[in-house]
Short mmCIF file of all heavy atoms in Angstrom, two decimals:
data_model
loop_
_atom_site.label_atom_id
_atom_site.label_comp_id
_atom_site.label_asym_id
_atom_site.label_seq_id
_atom_site.Cartn_x
_atom_site.Cartn_y
_atom_site.Cartn_z
N GLY A 1633 24.95 -4.21 -44.26
CA GLY A 1633 24.02 -4.99 -43.39
C GLY A 1633 23.47 -4.01 -42.28
O GLY A 1633 23.43 -4.36 -41.08
N ARG A 1690 33.29 -1.26 -40.21
CA ARG A 1690 33.30 -1.41 -38.69
C ARG A 1690 34.63 -1.03 -38.08
O ARG A 1690 34.82 -0.76 -36.89
CB ARG A 1690 33.09 -2.87 -38.27
CG ARG A 1690 31.72 -3.29 -38.81
CD ARG A 1690 31.35 -4.82 -38.57
NE ARG A 1690 30.14 -5.18 -39.24
CZ ARG A 1690 28.90 -5.15 -38.54
NH1 ARG A 1690 28.89 -4.75 -37.35
NH2 ARG A 1690 27.92 -5.61 -39.30
N GLN A 1696 34.33 4.23 -33.57
CA GLN A 1696 34.61 4.45 -32.18
C GLN A 1696 34.59 6.02 -31.73
O GLN A 1696 34.39 6.33 -30.59
CB GLN A 1696 35.94 3.83 -31.80
CG GLN A 1696 36.05 2.34 -32.20
CD GLN A 1696 35.17 1.51 -31.33
OE1 GLN A 1696 35.00 1.82 -30.14
NE2 GLN A 1696 34.59 0.43 -31.89
N ALA A 1711 35.67 2.11 -22.46
CA ALA A 1711 34.86 0.96 -22.36
C ALA A 1711 34.48 0.58 -20.87
O ALA A 1711 35.45 0.59 -20.03
CB ALA A 1711 35.59 -0.22 -23.06
N SER A 1714 32.53 5.09 -19.17
CA SER A 1714 31.73 6.24 -19.61
C SER A 1714 31.85 6.67 -21.07
O SER A 1714 32.85 6.27 -21.68
CB SER A 1714 32.07 7.43 -18.65
OG SER A 1714 33.49 7.85 -19.07
N THR A 1743 23.29 -0.05 -8.44
CA THR A 1743 24.34 0.91 -8.58
C THR A 1743 23.85 2.06 -9.43
O THR A 1743 24.14 3.20 -9.02
CB THR A 1743 25.71 0.20 -9.21
OG1 THR A 1743 25.85 -0.95 -8.64
CG2 THR A 1743 26.79 1.30 -9.17
N GLU A 1752 25.69 11.32 -7.73
CA GLU A 1752 26.74 11.24 -8.79
C GLU A 1752 26.33 11.28 -10.14
O GLU A 1752 27.10 11.45 -11.03
CB GLU A 1752 27.55 9.97 -8.43
CG GLU A 1752 28.49 9.94 -7.23
CD GLU A 1752 29.42 8.79 -7.08
OE1 GLU A 1752 29.58 8.14 -8.16
OE2 GLU A 1752 29.95 8.71 -6.00
N HIS A 1770 13.41 11.84 -2.17
CA HIS A 1770 14.49 12.83 -2.71
C HIS A 1770 13.95 14.01 -3.41
O HIS A 1770 13.56 13.99 -4.57
CB HIS A 1770 15.44 12.04 -3.51
CG HIS A 1770 16.36 11.12 -2.80
ND1 HIS A 1770 17.64 11.44 -2.43
CD2 HIS A 1770 16.15 10.06 -2.09
CE1 HIS A 1770 18.24 10.44 -1.74
NE2 HIS A 1770 17.29 9.55 -1.50
N ASP A 1920 17.32 -18.33 -20.68
CA ASP A 1920 18.18 -17.20 -20.73
C ASP A 1920 17.84 -16.44 -22.03
O ASP A 1920 17.19 -17.07 -22.92
CB ASP A 1920 19.60 -17.40 -20.58
CG ASP A 1920 20.32 -17.83 -21.85
OD1 ASP A 1920 19.87 -18.64 -22.59
OD2 ASP A 1920 21.38 -17.21 -22.12
N ILE A 1925 15.52 -16.29 -27.52
CA ILE A 1925 15.46 -15.75 -28.89
C ILE A 1925 15.59 -16.85 -29.97
O ILE A 1925 14.90 -16.83 -30.89
CB ILE A 1925 16.67 -14.79 -29.01
CG1 ILE A 1925 16.54 -13.54 -28.17
CG2 ILE A 1925 16.85 -14.38 -30.56
CD1 ILE A 1925 15.38 -12.66 -28.61
N LYS A 1929 12.92 -17.58 -32.82
CA LYS A 1929 13.42 -17.57 -34.13
C LYS A 1929 12.95 -18.97 -35.03
O LYS A 1929 12.55 -18.92 -36.11
CB LYS A 1929 14.89 -17.49 -34.16
CG LYS A 1929 15.56 -17.33 -35.52
CD LYS A 1929 17.05 -17.07 -35.27
CE LYS A 1929 17.96 -18.20 -35.69
NZ LYS A 1929 19.28 -17.92 -35.42
N ARG A 2055 37.11 22.29 -22.04
CA ARG A 2055 38.60 22.26 -22.18
C ARG A 2055 38.80 22.82 -23.51
O ARG A 2055 38.10 22.53 -24.41
CB ARG A 2055 39.13 20.75 -22.11
CG ARG A 2055 39.23 20.26 -20.77
CD ARG A 2055 39.97 19.01 -20.69
NE ARG A 2055 39.19 17.93 -21.56
CZ ARG A 2055 38.33 17.13 -21.06
NH1 ARG A 2055 37.86 17.26 -19.89
NH2 ARG A 2055 37.72 16.22 -21.80
N ASP B 307 22.42 -16.90 -30.68
CA ASP B 307 23.57 -16.62 -31.57
C ASP B 307 23.87 -15.06 -31.21
O ASP B 307 23.13 -14.39 -30.49
CB ASP B 307 23.32 -16.73 -33.05
CG ASP B 307 22.43 -15.86 -33.62
OD1 ASP B 307 22.53 -14.62 -33.43
OD2 ASP B 307 21.55 -16.25 -34.41
N MET B 313 16.93 -9.77 -32.62
CA MET B 313 15.57 -10.48 -33.09
C MET B 313 14.50 -9.58 -32.43
O MET B 313 13.42 -9.66 -32.95
CB MET B 313 15.50 -11.78 -32.48
CG MET B 313 16.68 -12.79 -32.82
SD MET B 313 16.30 -13.39 -34.54
CE MET B 313 14.79 -14.30 -34.22
N TRP B 326 25.25 -10.36 -41.41
CA TRP B 326 26.10 -10.14 -40.26
C TRP B 326 26.92 -11.53 -40.01
O TRP B 326 28.05 -11.51 -39.68
CB TRP B 326 25.25 -9.80 -38.94
CG TRP B 326 24.87 -8.30 -39.02
CD1 TRP B 326 25.16 -7.43 -40.01
CD2 TRP B 326 23.93 -7.71 -38.11
NE1 TRP B 326 24.49 -6.23 -39.79
CE2 TRP B 326 23.83 -6.45 -38.57
CE3 TRP B 326 23.31 -8.20 -36.91
CZ2 TRP B 326 22.93 -5.52 -37.93
CZ3 TRP B 326 22.46 -7.18 -36.32
CH2 TRP B 326 22.40 -5.91 -36.72
N GLN B 359 32.25 -4.54 -31.17
CA GLN B 359 32.73 -3.90 -32.39
C GLN B 359 34.09 -3.41 -32.41
O GLN B 359 34.25 -2.28 -32.90
CB GLN B 359 31.58 -2.90 -32.96
CG GLN B 359 30.29 -3.43 -33.15
CD GLN B 359 30.29 -4.34 -34.39
OE1 GLN B 359 30.94 -4.18 -35.45
NE2 GLN B 359 29.41 -5.38 -34.33
N ARG B 360 34.93 -4.11 -31.91
CA ARG B 360 36.36 -3.89 -31.90
C ARG B 360 37.13 -5.01 -31.76
O ARG B 360 36.61 -6.04 -31.25
CB ARG B 360 36.73 -2.72 -30.89
CG ARG B 360 36.50 -3.14 -29.47
CD ARG B 360 36.75 -1.97 -28.54
NE ARG B 360 35.68 -1.14 -28.33
CZ ARG B 360 35.67 -0.05 -27.59
NH1 ARG B 360 36.81 0.26 -26.97
NH2 ARG B 360 34.66 0.84 -27.44
N GLU B 368 41.94 -2.70 -22.67
CA GLU B 368 41.25 -1.62 -21.99
C GLU B 368 40.74 -2.10 -20.53
O GLU B 368 40.88 -1.32 -19.44
CB GLU B 368 39.91 -1.11 -22.73
CG GLU B 368 40.35 -0.20 -23.71
CD GLU B 368 38.98 0.26 -24.46
OE1 GLU B 368 38.03 -0.46 -24.44
OE2 GLU B 368 38.92 1.31 -25.15
N TYR B 432 26.69 5.62 0.12
CA TYR B 432 25.47 6.41 0.14
C TYR B 432 24.99 6.93 1.35
O TYR B 432 24.90 8.22 1.57
CB TYR B 432 24.30 5.37 -0.38
CG TYR B 432 23.04 5.98 -0.50
CD1 TYR B 432 22.69 7.08 -1.20
CD2 TYR B 432 21.92 5.42 0.32
CE1 TYR B 432 21.49 7.62 -1.33
CE2 TYR B 432 20.59 5.95 0.28
CZ TYR B 432 20.43 7.13 -0.49
OH TYR B 432 19.21 7.65 -0.57
N ILE B 439 30.44 6.35 -5.41
CA ILE B 439 29.56 5.07 -5.47
C ILE B 439 30.16 4.08 -6.44
O ILE B 439 29.91 2.94 -6.31
CB ILE B 439 28.15 5.58 -5.86
CG1 ILE B 439 27.56 6.32 -4.71
CG2 ILE B 439 27.35 4.52 -6.38
CD1 ILE B 439 26.31 7.19 -4.93
N GLU B 445 34.34 11.03 -13.57
CA GLU B 445 34.25 11.19 -15.05
C GLU B 445 34.31 12.75 -15.34
O GLU B 445 34.58 12.97 -16.55
CB GLU B 445 33.10 10.45 -15.60
CG GLU B 445 33.06 9.00 -15.43
CD GLU B 445 34.26 8.29 -16.13
OE1 GLU B 445 34.93 8.88 -16.92
OE2 GLU B 445 34.49 7.08 -15.74
N SER B 449 40.08 14.37 -15.74
CA SER B 449 41.05 14.89 -16.67
C SER B 449 41.56 16.34 -16.24
O SER B 449 42.54 16.81 -16.85
CB SER B 449 40.44 14.96 -18.08
OG SER B 449 39.18 15.65 -18.10
N VAL B 543 28.82 -4.65 -9.06
CA VAL B 543 28.23 -3.56 -8.14
C VAL B 543 28.83 -2.26 -8.13
O VAL B 543 28.27 -1.26 -8.03
CB VAL B 543 28.29 -4.26 -6.66
CG1 VAL B 543 27.82 -3.32 -5.58
CG2 VAL B 543 27.32 -5.53 -6.68
N ARG B 560 26.68 -13.90 -26.41
CA ARG B 560 27.18 -15.04 -27.16
C ARG B 560 28.32 -14.48 -28.04
O ARG B 560 28.39 -14.64 -29.31
CB ARG B 560 26.20 -15.62 -28.04
CG ARG B 560 24.96 -16.25 -27.33
CD ARG B 560 25.42 -17.54 -26.53
NE ARG B 560 24.20 -18.20 -26.06
CZ ARG B 560 23.66 -17.95 -24.94
NH1 ARG B 560 24.13 -17.01 -24.13
NH2 ARG B 560 22.57 -18.70 -24.48
#
Side-chain angles (χ1 to χ4, degrees):
Chain A
R1690 297 175 190 273
Q1696 305 292 326
S1714 67
T1743 313
E1752 286 189 12
H1770 284 257
D1920 90 310
I1925 296 291
K1929 186 172 111 183
R2055 284 190 295 277
Chain B
D307 73 46
M313 299 283 293
W326 288 353
Q359 293 291 325
R360 61 180 86 181
E368 281 180 337
Y432 178 59
I439 289 165
E445 298 300 343
S449 53
V543 170
R560 302 290 191 272

